[in-house]
Amino acid sequence: MRTSAKFSALVVAGAMCLSLSGCADESSADTSGSESLKGDVVKIMVGGLDKVIYLPAVLTQRLGYFQQEGLTVKLLSEPAGVQATTSLLSGDVQGVVGFYDHTLDLQVKGKKVESVVQLAQTPGEVEVVSTKAAGDIVSPKDFKGKKLGVTGLGSSTDFLTKYLAVKNGVDVSDVTPVAVGAGQTFLSALEKGAIDGGMTTDPTVAQVLDKNLGKVLVDMRTPEGSKAALGGLYPASSLYMSSDWVNSNKETVQKLANAMVKTLKWMSEHTPEEIAAQMPADYAKGGKDLYVKSIRSTLPMFTKDGVMPADGPKTVLQVLKSFNPNLKNASVDLAKTYTTEFVKKAG
């Protein structure tokens, strides 16, 4: 009984470690810094450190650009953006690298959050369908009655999956979203038939194709793909923060913007191979060549200057209003969901 009790305690402790602090990923990101927030020490929660869509956060750290700005940045990992946002609102972190669409959703809930660096102009997401279900799902019109994987309920992948359903005449109530995370948990769910398809990003997409577990149904990694699926550019990956914190810490926010804009520029001038070489080796779970391929496929999504695409916020609002009852009849002040003040000075 004692041995069993000890084992149970270890399992619980391990689960808490992974779900609350992302501790398994922190060392991979080469994060360092004081746990007590003094001076220019900033904690940023990333919606999955090893996801290529959030690559600029870790790359900025690896290139030393945060340090050059006099910042000590602690990068934490949370696999679903909705949980990352919870950490921001509770004050556990000062910023989130996640999807911009959360700022709109939060505004109608009375929370003031804004994107300060817009990392991407498209979602970088891909809807894949399992090899077993490929004959039954040839477009989002076939989503009815299907189990579709998302990183988490209420996450941006959940948002986009619902939009694809509604846009193609399928009621959201006729689709069953299944929270399967990303990476190995997504691959396992697809392989075992726990889901018929799902929305994920690279490097998971590359592994799905490499293992012949599924095929691409909707590709939103490029501007062209985003416009075809969503009706326009859909600004996604961003550094967003509480508006009150931004206004009270403008010097620190400017330093963060300086560092991340420098990274975006560096990315635009280097090859996928050179970018991959800067990243932690354990991020290439499917092998180095597959990881380089993942980066190459995803690079078109990133901005080069951190500036919000002009019509992007409007597209995001239209998408969210199509299925989200909280936003459908709400008035959203888009100007308060992002700022270009810091990135334009950085540029």
Side-chain angles (χ1 to χ4, degrees):
M1 292 296 290
R2 289 181 180 178
T3 301
S4 176
K6 288 181 180 179
F7 177 75
S8 298
L10 287 171
V11 171
V12 172
M16 290 178 67
C17 172
L18 289 171
S19 64
L20 297 178
S21 67
C23 54
D25 289 315
E26 287 179 47
S27 59
S28 297
D30 191 26
T31 59
S32 59
S34 170
E35 285 298 326
S36 60
L37 297 177
K38 297 178 181 178
D40 288 329
V41 181
V42 184
K43 286 185 178 181
I44 297 176
M45 186 70 81
V46 183
L49 282 171
D50 60 353
K51 293 180 182 178
V52 179
I53 60 171
Y54 299 139
L55 179 150
V58 177
L59 185 57
T60 303
Q61 189 83 287
R62 304 282 287 188
L63 292 173
Y65 291 159
F66 286 135
Q67 295 91 326
Q68 287 179 18
E69 291 292 329
L71 295 173
T72 300
V73 174
K74 188 79 170 177
L75 296 179
L76 306 172
S77 186
E78 174 54 62
V82 63
Q83 279 82 23
T85 298
T86 300
S87 295
L88 177 68
L89 297 178
S90 66
D92 292 337
V93 298
Q94 288 69 55
V96 170
V97 171
F99 269 37
Y100 160 72
D101 52 22
H102 288 293
T103 68
L104 280 69
D105 188 52
L106 288 169
Q107 187 182 111
V108 299
K109 296 175 181 176
K111 309 296 182 182
K112 298 178 181 178
V113 175
E114 60 189 294
S115 165
V116 295
V117 182
Q118 194 58 46
L119 304 174
Q121 58 185 333
T122 74
E125 300 282 354
V126 176
E127 183 71 28
V128 299
V129 57
S130 75
T131 302
K132 299 174 184 176
D136 297 324
I137 307 176
V138 296
S139 84
K141 293 180 180 179
D142 303 316
F143 279 178
K144 185 175 181 179
K146 299 299 187 291
K147 296 176 292 183
L148 301 176
V150 297
T151 54
L153 302 183
S155 66
S156 294
T157 52
D158 191 19
F159 290 165
L160 291 173
T161 299
K162 288 177 178 175
Y163 174 73
L164 290 179
V166 170
K167 181 186 177 184
N168 288 276
V170 180
D171 194 279
V172 293
S173 63
D174 291 327
V175 178
T176 302
V178 183
V180 294
Q184 189 54 50
T185 53
F186 185 96
L187 296 172
S188 179
L190 203 61
E191 186 172 20
K192 294 178 180 178
I195 55 175
D196 300 300
M199 191 169 291
T200 191
T201 61
D202 277 310
T204 307
V205 176
Q207 293 178 62
V208 168
L209 300 179
D210 184 63
K211 296 176 183 292
N212 197 32
L213 295 177
K215 67 177 186 177
V216 173
L217 190 70
V218 180
D219 193 336
M220 295 175 281
R221 290 175 290 191
T222 66
E224 295 75 20
S226 177
K227 291 173 182 177
L230 306 172
L233 292 179
Y234 192 97
S237 303
S238 66
L239 170 63
Y240 61 83
M241 314 179 89
S242 163
S243 298
D244 289 340
W245 198 89
V246 170
N247 292 329
S248 300
N249 298 272
K250 288 198 171 188
E251 184 177 345
T252 299
V253 176
Q254 186 62 61
K255 291 177 180 179
L256 289 167
N258 292 345
M260 300 192 87
V261 169
K262 192 180 292 185
T263 297
L264 292 169
K265 184 175 186 297
W266 187 93
M267 289 171 60
S268 71
E269 298 171 345
H270 289 76
T271 66
E273 289 81 3
E274 291 170 325
I275 294 171
Q278 294 291 333
M279 300 299 288
D282 62 343
Y283 283 16
K285 295 180 176 66
K288 181 179 178 181
D289 291 343
L290 204 60
Y291 187 55
V292 169
K293 184 178 180 180
S294 297
I295 294 174
R296 181 177 289 109
S297 298
T298 307
L299 273 179
M301 72 177 283
F302 295 111
T303 68
K304 297 180 181 180
D305 54 12
V307 176
M308 175 69 74
D311 295 328
K314 183 179 178 181
T315 301
V316 174
L317 181 60
Q318 290 174 339
V319 167
L320 295 182
K321 276 183 173 290
S322 70
F323 67 83
N324 190 323
N326 294 327
L327 280 154
K328 193 168 186 178
N329 298 311
S331 176
V332 178
D333 187 346
L334 292 175
K336 293 182 179 179
T337 60
Y338 70 96
T339 177
T340 59
E341 174 187 349
F342 303 99
V343 292
K344 287 189 173 180
K345 288 180 181 178

